Amino acid sequence: MEAKAQARYVRVTPQKARRVINEIRGLNATNALDVLEFAPQAVARDVRKIVQSAIANARYAAGQAGERFDESALEILETYVDEGPTMKRIQPRAQGRANRIMKRTSHITVIVGTKEA
């Protein structure tokens, strides 16, 4: 059984989010939560919430299907970060000029499930 959780418009650059996502790809779901709890990156808190949501979605889906749920058997099957819309801001500079500030956003997706033999 697979379950998916997604966070959209997270205010972090996709490059920074991918650094954290790559650390948990393929891990057991409970081990991934432990890794994310002690990761120094700020986005680790958001990714941890997404993994917890995916686990809760799997628990709910198993209950609806009447199947037995074992959280320790869940693994992170897929994780990816897509680029969201970029907010464009202006920073005034000297002599009437302006610099553009790009505030990037991310769409983070986590899919958990059990590996079928």
Side-chain angles (χ1 to χ4, degrees):
M1 167 161 294
E2 290 185 4
K4 176 173 124 174
Q6 187 176 32
R8 295 171 52 96
Y9 308 106
V10 178
R11 272 289 292 123
V12 67
T13 66
Q15 183 176 3
K16 290 178 183 177
R18 285 186 188 113
R19 284 181 54 202
V20 175
I21 287 292
N22 290 337
E23 292 296 319
I24 65 165
R25 187 174 286 129
L27 289 180
N28 186 306
T30 54
N31 291 346
L33 290 175
D34 293 338
V35 168
L36 291 169
E37 185 172 354
F38 298 105
Q41 292 85 3
V43 71
R45 177 178 291 139
D46 295 326
V47 175
R48 188 169 195 273
K49 287 170 93 173
I50 298 166
V51 172
Q52 287 174 333
S53 178
I55 293 170
N57 291 345
R59 180 180 292 115
Y60 179 78
Q64 290 294 315
E67 297 176 7
R68 190 178 72 82
F69 179 74
D70 183 18
E71 187 173 323
S72 62
L74 285 179
E75 294 183 16
I76 306 231
L77 300 178
E78 267 187 78
T79 58
Y80 51 90
V81 178
D82 296 324
E83 189 171 340
T86 301
M87 297 185 288
K88 295 162 182 83
R89 301 293 182 259
I90 300 298
Q91 173 75 37
R93 303 305 289 181
Q95 298 181 1
R97 294 183 176 91
N99 278 359
R100 181 172 258 182
I101 297 175
M102 312 291 266
K103 296 188 176 222
R104 301 185 187 279
T105 61
S106 301
H107 301 320
I108 304 172
T109 305
V110 175
I111 299 174
V112 297
T114 55
K115 284 196 174 176
E116 304 296 327

